[in-house]
Amino acid sequence: MPMPAPPPDRSQLDERRQAFGNRLRDARHHVGLTQEQLALRAGMDRSQYSELERGQRDARLSTLLRIERVLGANLSFVVDGPAAATGDECGGPTQAAPYGTDSGAATPGAGDIRGPAPGRPD
C-alpha cells in the first residue's frame, strides 16, 4: 500500500492562498464588481470574501462554485490561473468562459468539474 502524500508545508499553503486571492481579485475587477457586490451575489458575507482575496481563508467547494457563477468564469481559471485556459494536464482542452457574463452558469467543458450539462453528450 503506497504511503499517503505528506501535507504541504505552511509556506506552500500561504503562497497558494495568496496567488488564488490575487487571481480572484483580478477576476472581480475584470467584471467590474466590488467585493460587496460579488459577496452579495455569491450569498456570502463581504468580510469572508475579503479574507479569500487576501489569502487568509480557505474556500469550500460550494463557495467557489457560487463565486464561479457570479464571475461567469470556469473554476479552473480562478483556481489555477491563466495557464488553465490553454489545456489541462490530461491533454484535453479547457474551456474557460469569458469574464463579464453574469448568466448564472459557467461554460461546461473538459475543465469544468461539474461535467457536461444534463442531456449533453460527454
Side-chain angles (χ1 to χ4, degrees):
M1 179 178 227
M3 295 291 291
D9 66 38
R10 184 158 185 83
S11 65
Q12 288 174 320
L13 284 173
D14 291 344
E15 186 177 303
R16 293 290 302 264
R17 278 188 198 110
Q18 189 61 53
F20 168 76
N22 291 339
R23 286 191 296 274
L24 195 56
R25 181 177 38 256
D26 291 345
R28 179 179 56 79
H29 285 161
H30 192 80
V31 298
L33 296 175
T34 66
Q35 286 185 349
E36 184 72 31
Q37 290 167 327
L38 192 142
L40 180 65
R41 291 181 187 187
M44 59 190 300
D45 185 72
R46 191 210 52 86
S47 64
Q48 291 174 326
Y49 179 79
S50 176
E51 289 173 351
L52 286 175
E53 280 194 6
R54 291 185 317 226
Q56 297 175 337
R57 172 184 284 268
D58 288 333
R60 297 176 70 161
L61 181 57
S62 59
T63 300
L64 292 174
L65 292 173
R66 288 194 315 265
I67 292 170
E68 172 190 64
R69 294 180 83 176
V70 172
L71 292 175
N74 187 287
L75 182 65
S76 64
F77 180 83
V78 175
V79 174
D80 298 328
T86 61
D88 63 20
E89 55 275 0
C90 297
T94 300
Q95 297 176 352
Y99 289 128
T101 57
D102 191 16
S103 64
T107 303
D112 189 331
I113 64 169
R114 293 172 293 171
R120 289 185 63 190
D122 287 333

